[in-house]
Amino acid sequence: MIPNALVKEFRKAKNIVAFTGAGISAESGIPTFRGSGGLWEGYRVEEVASPDGFNTNPVLVWKFYDERRKNIFKAVPNTAHTVLAKLENYYNVWIITQNIDGLHIRAGSTNVIELHGNIWRVRCTSCNYKDINEDVPLKDLPPKCPECGSLLRPDVVWFGEPVYDLEKAFHVAENCDIMMVIGTSAQVYPAAYLPLYAKQHGAIVININPERTPVDDYADFSIHAKATEALSSLYQKLQEAFQEE
Ligand code: NAD
Ligand code: ZN
């Protein structure tokens, strides 16, 4: 599954970036969004993941996020998350994730850019109040700001909203030797441009996904496998390689 030429690239590399999507958390039991017939865990996406949807029915939106929080609360990081954390022992690693589940941080990765925010954070719709809220289930929906009384919303990025830390993400993409793209359909721009940008700045691009995605058109290596299988094989090969050194 892992060609020797790929191991060779890792032997030369110093800076690694992993760009991850919902697929990396699928094996932790967190459903991805695509392929569900326009429904997201039984809800219409535009109703529960857009500013308009929130203005129309904040309680419905909070119920949806409450369900997702219950599911994510039960989930634990899988081998793919933990291998990425362990790579920090050998490389300068940055994770750029589109996921809001916080599993990379729980797995022990330290440099994590969460482009779409984090489901355990809430923020006020009027003032600058932000906080961590880990109540499962949430109490008294919809929650209100303790400072000004306005509605609190999940601190996640919805359709039509700008992503967080994009400039920083492009900066690390520009400066990496290897860009691993894991479990993302790579269809949501501008984030989907990150691997191509890395490639244009000299990085080796590896796509890890059981399905073909647009990244395969320019990736140096395509590994059509599940994230846990691909990452555990890769880690085993790398350890063998490091022992030889
Ligand atoms: P996505 O665009 O990242 O697509 C999921 C990809 O994962 C698909 O290409 C699929 O082939 C692949 N995949 C499925 N199982 C896999 C596995 N075991 N290993 C590797 N790859 C696998 O994400 P999406 O589901 O289309 O969601 C769009 C957006 O919704 C995301 O960018 C994210 O912000 C949000 N979302 C987040 C989570 C989460 O936090 N875990 C879950 C669902 C959706
Ligand atoms: Zn407030």
Side-chain angles (χ1 to χ4, degrees), residues 78-98:
N78 63 50
T79 317
H81 299 104
T82 53
V83 163
L84 292 178
K86 285 194 280 194
L87 286 182
E88 288 189 16
N89 295 327
Y90 308 97
Y91 300 100
N92 182 18
V93 183
W94 275 93
I95 310 284
I96 306 172
T97 188
Q98 300 167 89

Side-chain angles (χ1 to χ4, degrees), residues 56-67:
T56 309
N57 195 340
V59 174
L60 179 81
V61 172
W62 269 115
K63 278 188 179 153
F64 167 72
Y65 279 95
D66 197 29
E67 288 307 311

Side-chain angles (χ1 to χ4, degrees), residues 43 48 54 58-73 100 118-123 129 131-146 151-156 158:
Y43 294 84
V48 293
F54 187 72
V59 174
L60 179 81
V61 172
W62 269 115
K63 278 188 179 153
F64 167 72
Y65 279 95
D66 197 29
E67 288 307 311
R68 293 189 71 195
R69 286 160 60 107
K70 285 179 195 159
N71 184 243
I72 290 171
F73 182 75
I100 60 173
N118 188 302
I119 200 164
W120 302 111
R121 250 184 359 242
V122 294
R123 71 177 163 90
Y129 178 83
D131 200 9
I132 305 287
N133 176 322
E134 293 176 328
D135 295 347
V136 175
L138 281 156
K139 301 174 196 89
D140 304 326
L141 297 183
K144 306 265 171 45
C145 176
L151 282 182
L152 290 177
R153 58 167 280 178
D155 193 13
V156 300
W158 286 329

Side-chain angles (χ1 to χ4, degrees), residues 2 5 45 56 65 68 76 92-93 113 126 139 151-152 163 166 170-171 199 202 239 245:
I2 308 295
V45 173
T56 309
Y65 279 95
R68 293 189 71 195
V76 287
N92 182 18
V93 183
I113 298 174
S126 303
K139 301 174 196 89
L151 282 182
L152 290 177
V163 305
L166 191 63
F170 273 95
H171 179 76
K199 169 107 182 169
Q239 281 190 311
E245 276 171 11

Side-chain angles (χ1 to χ4, degrees), residues 21-27 30-34 40 68 98-101 116 183-186 208-211 213 225-227:
I24 196 170
S25 296
E27 292 168 86
I30 303 171
T32 61
F33 155 58
R34 251 162 264 281
W40 196 350
R68 293 189 71 195
Q98 300 167 89
N99 297 341
I100 60 173
D101 55 37
H116 293 168
T184 175
S185 56
I208 298 174
N209 197 311
E211 309 285 335
T213 77
K226 289 184 176 178

